[in-house]
């Protein structure tokens, strides 16, 4: 990265003709980028407010993934050495 | 305060390392995230949630914060500045947004990992947890946009940058 911009500051990329010495307007790419961002934000907000249940109100946050209230069965976590992965390793050796 | 050339290059090297590292850590996280969305194997799901938590806490978050910090240092220590050029300003906003969403999402990831680590969690409960795919893929896209902006540096000075430039003349 250079100390100064490598490009001359011109009105290139803007949609306006300007007088010499006057401030260049916002570049076209910034305008397009802003429009895309605004559209995406509106889309996300709409999904959160009106979307399917998984995106709906109150469904955003860690609480949405609480396990069901059903009685859970005991699920012993096996030793890592006896997992499927270890078995596959033995087969490869 | 402007940095000398050696210090500038060093800080830039650090910034590039942590920024690309952040992108790489997210790329490593996504396959685990995909497996939580597609796998029905309980062992795989447990391992994936635990792995996601480790990657997020010990790789993605530190790299994200380091990227934001070093980006600020590089911008403020050179004539690019923080608010003078649109590509710098937009990169800063996107990086801040990505880091903020990441910090919030780590709570969800940690929560998933705690449930997955609990021996009493059933396979059905594991499969009901879901994935963070929207956030991880969305984050990757944002990081790619930032990368493109930083490589191509499209033209355009802000009003503030223009005023500063006129003052120097």
């Amino acid at each position: 990265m250079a100390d100064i911009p490598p490009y001359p500051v011109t009105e290139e990329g803007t949609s306006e003709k300007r007088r010499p010495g006057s401030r260049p307007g916002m570049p076209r790419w910034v305008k397009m980028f802003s429009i895309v961002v605004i559209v995406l934000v509106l889309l996300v907000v709409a999904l959160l407010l009106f979307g399917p249940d998984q995106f709906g109100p109150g469904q955003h946050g860690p609480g949405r993934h609480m396990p069901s209230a059903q009685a859970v069965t005991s699920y012993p976590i096996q030793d890592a050495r006896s997992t499927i992965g270890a078995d596959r390793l033995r087969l490869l050796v | 305060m402007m940095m000398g050339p050696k210090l500038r290059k060093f800080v830039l090297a650090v910034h590039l390392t942590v920024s690309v590292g952040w992108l790489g850590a997210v790329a490593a996280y996504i396959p685990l995230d995909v497996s939580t969305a597609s796998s029905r194997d309980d062992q795989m799901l447990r391992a994936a949630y635990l792995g996601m938590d480790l990657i997020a806490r010990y790789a993605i978050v530190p790299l994200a914060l380091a990227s934001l910090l070093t980006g600020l240092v590089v911008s403020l220590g050179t004539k690019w500045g923080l608010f003078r050029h649109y590509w710098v300003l937009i990169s800063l906003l996107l990086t801040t947004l990505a880091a903020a969403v990441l910090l919030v999402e780590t709570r969800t990831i940690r929560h998933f990992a705690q449930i997955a680590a609990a021996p009493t969690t059933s396979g059905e409960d594991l499969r009901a947890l879901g994935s963070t795919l929207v956030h991880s893929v969305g984050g990757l896209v944002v990081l790619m946009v930032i990368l493109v902006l930083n490589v191509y540096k499209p033209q355009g000075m802000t009003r503030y940058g223009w005023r500063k430039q006129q003052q120097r003349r």
Side-chain angles (χ1 to χ4, degrees):
Chain A
M1 194 183 291
D3 281 332
I4 55 173
Y7 51 79
V9 178
T10 66
E11 66 270 26
E12 188 178 336
T14 65
S15 54
E16 309 147 14
K17 292 194 184 301
R18 64 180 191 96
R19 295 186 303 277
S22 64
R23 186 182 66 84
M26 185 181 288
R28 195 176 297 125
W29 71 268
V30 175
K31 293 177 185 172
M32 298 304 300
F33 187 86
S34 304
I35 290 171
V36 168
V37 167
I38 289 170
V39 167
L40 284 173
V41 166
L42 289 175
L43 206 63
V44 167
V45 168
L47 266 176
L48 289 172
L49 290 176
F50 309 112
D53 284 344
Q54 67 199 64
F55 294 117
Q59 297 301 315
H60 209 69
R64 76 193 191 281
H65 293 288
M66 291 300 291
S68 63
Q70 300 168 14
V72 295
T73 55
S74 175
Y75 189 88
I77 296 181
Q78 298 170 9
D79 187 277
R81 285 165 293 182
S82 62
T83 58
I84 295 171
D87 291 331
R88 285 180 182 155
L89 265 177
R90 266 189 244 118
L91 288 172
L92 289 172
V93 170
Chain B
M1 190 181 75
M2 295 298 128
M3 292 187 288
K6 283 185 180 175
L7 179 61
R8 187 183 69 245
K9 285 182 182 172
F10 172 74
V11 175
L12 180 62
V14 172
H15 177 60
L16 286 172
T17 301
V18 296
S19 299
V20 176
W22 181 7
L23 210 145
V26 173
Y29 176 95
I30 284 177
L32 295 176
D33 211 354
V34 169
S35 73
T36 63
S38 59
S39 175
R40 296 196 59 78
D41 180 79
D42 296 350
Q43 300 264 16
M44 177 71 84
L45 285 172
R46 284 184 194 274
Y49 285 121
L50 293 173
M52 284 160 62
D53 182 48
L54 288 173
I55 292 178
R57 275 200 291 160
Y58 298 114
I60 298 180
V61 169
L63 288 168
L65 296 177
S67 173
L68 185 58
L69 184 65
T70 53
L72 288 170
V73 173
V74 167
S75 298
L76 293 171
T78 63
K79 287 187 181 177
W80 284 105
L82 205 53
F83 306 112
R84 299 180 191 187
H85 299 271
Y86 280 110
W87 73 265
V88 177
L89 182 61
I90 292 174
S91 295
L92 170 67
L93 291 174
L94 289 178
T95 304
T96 306
L97 173 70
V101 172
L102 170 68
L103 288 174
V104 171
E105 194 64 11
T106 48
R107 290 171 49 213
T108 301
I109 299 166
R110 183 81 184 117
H111 181 73
F112 286 1
Q114 286 171 338
I115 293 174
T120 53
T121 302
S122 68
E124 191 181 327
D125 288 334
L126 277 176
R127 286 184 284 278
L129 285 177
S131 73
T132 61
L133 215 47
V134 171
H135 288 97
S136 57
V137 172
L140 187 69
V141 169
V142 169
L143 292 181
M144 297 292 289
V145 169
I146 296 169
L147 184 143
V148 167
L149 284 174
N150 277 260
V151 169
Y152 287 93
K153 297 182 176 62
Q155 292 189 28
M157 288 191 98
T158 62
R159 198 172 296 189
Y160 170 78
W162 178 256
R163 274 205 313 271
K164 280 288 180 184
Q165 193 184 55
Q166 297 303 303
Q167 284 169 9
R168 278 204 306 269
R169 288 186 177 167

